[in-house]
Amino acid sequence: KRYAIAQAGEQKRVRKGVCVRVFVEGGSMQNNRKEVVDLYIPRKCTATNRLLHSKDHASVQINVGEVDERGVYTGKYQTIALSGMIRGKGLADDNMLRIAKSKGLLKDLEVKPEPATQ
């Protein structure tokens, strides 16, 4: 197989009759239809802001759905990515709660003591 290396805006011939035009905008490679064609798009850990590399098989990405006041899913979601290091240290649950509160996905869950009955 032959691969073409093209600069931004150049057109290269990959194989007979097939031309590829490469557009680079915002650090991602796009085809003629402006679709992202990168093979791997790295993610960042939401808790530590570290880059999640491709060999971190313990990392997870969780999509937390948004609901309306009746509790019905609206079709929107917020993504939370956690690295394998955070999960390995047992800090995933604390960070999930902290991130969900900071993004406004979780109401304050302070337990109020019940009044004493006499």
Side-chain angles (χ1 to χ4, degrees):
K1 293 182 177 182
R2 290 188 298 173
Y3 298 96
I5 299 174
Q7 297 295 324
E10 285 186 354
Q11 187 168 341
K12 293 282 185 172
R13 179 165 294 217
V14 178
R15 58 181 186 257
K16 186 176 181 181
V18 177
C19 289
V20 175
R21 182 167 294 205
V22 178
F23 298 97
V24 178
E25 293 176 8
S28 63
M29 201 159 68
Q30 300 175 346
N31 61 8
N32 292 338
R33 291 174 275 177
K34 303 281 186 177
E35 298 169 344
V36 177
V37 292
D38 284 337
L39 296 178
Y40 175 72
I41 299 173
R43 298 173 291 156
K44 277 190 165 185
C45 177
T46 311
T48 62
N49 210 24
R50 290 184 179 182
L51 198 64
L52 297 177
H53 53 87
S54 60
K55 295 296 180 182
D56 187 1
H57 296 296
S59 64
V60 293
Q61 177 174 322
I62 300 169
N63 294 332
V64 181
E66 295 180 10
V67 294
D68 60 7
E69 54 278 344
R70 295 180 298 147
V72 178
Y73 177 60
T74 62
K76 298 178 186 175
Y77 57 88
Q78 296 280 334
T79 302
I80 298 173
L82 296 173
S83 66
M85 179 203 55
I86 294 291
R87 297 184 64 218
K89 289 183 176 183
L91 301 173
D93 55 344
D94 292 334
N95 282 298
M96 276 287 289
L97 285 174
R98 181 182 56 81
I99 292 165
K101 283 182 184 178
S102 69
K103 288 188 174 189
L105 299 172
L106 190 65
K107 293 181 181 177
D108 196 15
L109 295 178
E110 289 183 25
V111 178
K112 298 179 181 175
E114 294 183 17
T117 57
Q118 296 194 6

